[in-house]
Amino acid sequence: MPVKTARKYVSTVNACKLCTPMGACLALRGIEGAMPLLHGSQGCSTYMRRYIISHFNEPIDIASSSLGEKNAIYGGAENLKKGISNVITKYRPKLLGIATTCLTETIGDNVPMILKEYQKETGGEETKGREHPFIISVSTPSYAGTHMDGFHRTVRVAVEALAEEGEKSGRINLLPGFVSPADLRHLKEIMREFGLEYTLLPDISESLDAPILEDYCKIPKGGTPILDIREMGRAQASIEFGRTLNSLAPITAAEYLKIRFDVERYSLGLPIGIHETDRFFSVLEHLSGCSSPACYQMERGRLIDAYVDSHKYLFGKRAIIYGEEDLVVGLTSFLAETGIVPVLCASGGTSGRFEESIRAIGAGNLSVPPLVREGVDFYQIAEEAISLEPDILIGHSKGYPLARKLNIPLIRVGFPIHDRIGGQRILHLGYQGAQRLLDQIVNTVIEKKQSDSSVGYTYM
């Protein structure tokens, strides 16, 4: 086992994480009629728009309070107030989500106080004749977290602002975290097959993967309806994906619903592979009072058959997995089932529960536990990767330079995927998602072996 050497520098080199306010923007895009506004410099919103567009291949507007040098000294309150009025006038959102940036957090702008001043000063006059939007704010400095922290904080703030109490409705709250539009569509299908009424929050399945339209919509259709978010306090139960979420401060959205409205909470890992998907389906069976539909029993059986068929190609292959903490945990569980040996699990996140979660899902499937590194960048991952002699890398596009350096394949999953098309349509979850990932991994391993062969065999 390689010995980890002391880090010889303090700066981040090619981060294995993304900006905290970017996560807030992604979560807000999953609420119907919502518009994100970044309180900070214009460059922040421009950077995030470009990053999101290159993955989803969909337009996304992110407003900005456009602070300059003067505001860094005197504060950005006036810019924020003007920005709010401009967005309301031009976009007419149902909900306006304000996320702070490094600049405004550093200079100490008190956004909740500024919003109270704004409401008092305007009295809603700027929206006369139109419905006044809900306005929420979330603290998202990039020096204190990752895009996943910003994502989950925004979901919790939206639930805190909108959920209402009342007579229980029997609905199920599904809080899947940041997964692909394809994953969300599959989750909706599963809930329908179980006959469950549900609220999925957030829902980017249409707003960030829409059909082509003749006319441009400033705020795309789709997202979780605000009325459905109001219903979340009256739900029967909440299902929340993420083994590392319990580190969130102060609490997650599902924890808030449990404390405030006594909505039962089920905390699960991302359902990737058989074991974690079985746990998810077991909860659905309990909540619905029904057995798993026959179509999913068939999918599970075909996946097990595919595990057997592919074992001779994958057994003993060494993999480095990196990316968002909960995605890496789910992928590690899945890979261990296939016979692949995860040798390094790495993330830029710092939940403090990453290693514990990896150890928990690997117990019984991994004879040798992988190295687990949290809060790392690609410089550190590369330092350890060389001695580990991996056969494949699994993660997003930012790992491509390392894969090229090591001359090994990169299996692209998660976010961001910038050097391939269709990142928003990658299915990771459920038996069906595991089947697709398995086929991709096996075929990539076979292709690499063919490419390296002196004769280039054509029969498996």
Side-chain angles (χ1 to χ4, degrees):
M1 188 73 68
V3 177
K4 188 179 181 185
T5 57
R7 184 169 177 156
K8 299 177 182 178
Y9 59 94
V10 295
S11 58
T12 297
V13 181
N14 192 10
C16 189
K17 62 178 182 177
L18 299 170
C19 285
T20 316
M22 184 181 293
C25 294
L26 289 162
L28 288 165
R29 181 51 77 216
I31 298 175
E32 184 181 55
M35 180 70 189
L37 190 162
L38 293 186
H39 185 33
S41 68
Q42 182 66 47
C44 290
S45 61
T46 302
Y47 155 70
M48 290 175 203
R49 281 199 305 268
R50 178 69 186 90
Y51 228 85
I52 294 170
I53 289 169
S54 67
H55 175 88
F56 291 98
N57 287 289
E58 294 283 351
I60 179 170
D61 284 0
I62 300 173
S64 172
S65 57
S66 298
L67 303 191
E69 291 87 346
K70 183 177 101 172
N71 307 113
I73 299 171
Y74 297 106
E78 290 308 310
N79 278 52
L80 180 56
K81 293 173 185 177
K82 289 178 183 177
I84 293 171
S85 291
N86 287 338
V87 170
I88 290 173
T89 300
K90 294 182 181 298
Y91 287 87
R92 303 184 184 183
K94 295 179 181 178
L95 181 144
L96 180 59
I98 299 167
T100 55
T101 63
C102 298
L103 173 60
T104 49
E105 290 282 348
T106 301
I107 65 177
D109 269 1
N110 187 332
V111 173
M113 184 188 72
I114 295 170
L115 291 180
K116 287 180 181 178
E117 291 176 357
Y118 174 80
Q119 297 282 10
K120 184 177 180 181
E121 292 167 6
T122 63
E125 287 300 315
E126 79 294 340
T127 59
K128 196 170 184 179
R130 297 190 297 273
E131 182 182 354
H132 191 80
F134 296 98
I135 301 179
I136 62 174
S137 66
V138 57
S139 175
T140 52
S142 281
Y143 51 73
T146 71
H147 62 297
M148 293 308 300
D149 295 304
F151 184 96
H152 291 297
R153 284 178 206 163
T154 303
V155 173
R156 186 193 71 240
V157 166
V159 168
E160 288 177 350
L162 299 172
E164 298 175 344
E165 61 185 347
E167 185 178 349
K168 294 300 181 183
S169 65
R171 291 173 69 90
I172 306 299
N173 300 324
L174 183 55
L175 299 152
F178 180 37
V179 294
S180 75
D183 289 324
L184 295 174
R185 288 190 288 268
H186 188 47
L187 289 174
K188 289 180 184 181
E189 174 195 281
I190 291 170
M191 299 298 280
R192 288 194 298 266
E193 288 289 337
F194 271 94
L196 292 168
E197 293 187 9
Y198 63 93
T199 297
L200 178 67
L201 178 70
D203 181 6
I204 60 171
S205 63
E206 184 178 348
S207 57
L208 282 175
D209 191 20
I212 194 165
L213 302 172
E214 290 186 6
D215 299 316
Y216 175 70
C217 293
K218 292 181 179 178
I219 299 179
K221 293 182 179 180
T224 308
I226 288 175
L227 288 177
D228 285 2
I229 303 176
R230 288 188 178 281
E231 286 282 335
M232 293 179 76
R234 298 188 278 270
Q236 171 190 352
S238 299
I239 301 174
E240 189 171 51
F241 293 156
R243 283 179 173 265
T244 69
L245 293 188
N246 287 338
S247 63
L248 284 180
I251 53 175
T252 69
E255 286 176 310
Y256 171 79
L257 290 166
K258 171 64 178 175
I259 295 167
R260 176 69 178 81
F261 303 109
D262 196 29
V263 178
E264 189 175 5
R265 178 189 181 222
Y266 293 88
S267 180
L268 305 172
L270 278 174
I272 304 177
I274 291 175
H275 180 263
E276 295 290 74
T277 303
D278 281 353
R279 294 183 70 229
F280 174 44
F281 274 67
S282 177
V283 170
L284 295 182
E285 288 178 341
H286 170 69
L287 294 175
S288 67
C290 303
S291 299
S292 294
C295 60
Y296 299 119
Q297 295 179 33
M298 291 292 289
E299 283 183 3
R300 187 181 189 276
R302 285 192 291 267
L303 179 58
I304 293 173
D305 182 61
Y307 277 8
V308 175
D309 294 340
S310 62
H311 192 259
K312 61 182 178 181
Y313 303 107
L314 298 184
F315 178 73
K317 294 295 182 184
R318 299 164 66 82
I320 291 177
I321 316 153
Y322 62 86
E324 298 146 8
E325 289 176 290
D326 281 309
L327 179 61
V328 173
V329 172
L331 289 169
T332 302
S333 176
F334 160 62
L335 293 175
E337 294 172 351
T338 70
I340 291 176
V341 180
V343 292
L344 173 62
C345 299
S347 177
T350 54
S351 69
R353 300 198 68 219
F354 185 44
E355 182 167 5
E356 166 194 339
S357 300
I358 293 289
R359 299 286 179 252
I361 57 92
N365 278 336
L366 295 173
S367 57
V368 179
L371 295 176
V372 181
R373 303 288 186 247
E374 69 170 31
V376 294
D377 58 22
F378 277 99
Y379 184 90
Q380 294 166 289
I381 294 173
E383 277 188 318
E384 299 205 85
I386 296 172
S387 62
L388 292 172
E389 299 181 343
D391 297 294
I392 54 174
L393 257 61
I394 300 179
H396 50 70
S397 289
K398 292 185 74 176
Y400 172 69
L402 177 57
R404 184 180 175 91
K405 179 180 179 181
L406 297 175
N407 190 31
I408 60 174
L410 170 62
I411 309 294
R412 291 165 177 80
V413 296
F415 175 86
I417 296 176
H418 293 159
D419 59 343
R420 295 290 187 275
I421 197 166
Q424 74 275 36
R425 291 185 290 274
I426 294 176
L427 184 63
H428 310 79
L429 305 186
Y431 306 122
Q432 193 178 129
Q435 181 69 77
R436 294 189 189 182
L437 289 175
L438 179 68
D439 290 345
Q440 182 185 3
I441 293 170
V442 174
N443 288 330
T444 299
V445 168
I446 292 173
E447 182 180 8
K448 172 65 174 171
K449 190 172 181 180
Q450 284 178 306
S451 299
D452 291 346
S453 170
S454 59
V455 295
Y457 63 92
T458 59
Y459 187 76
M460 293 192 300

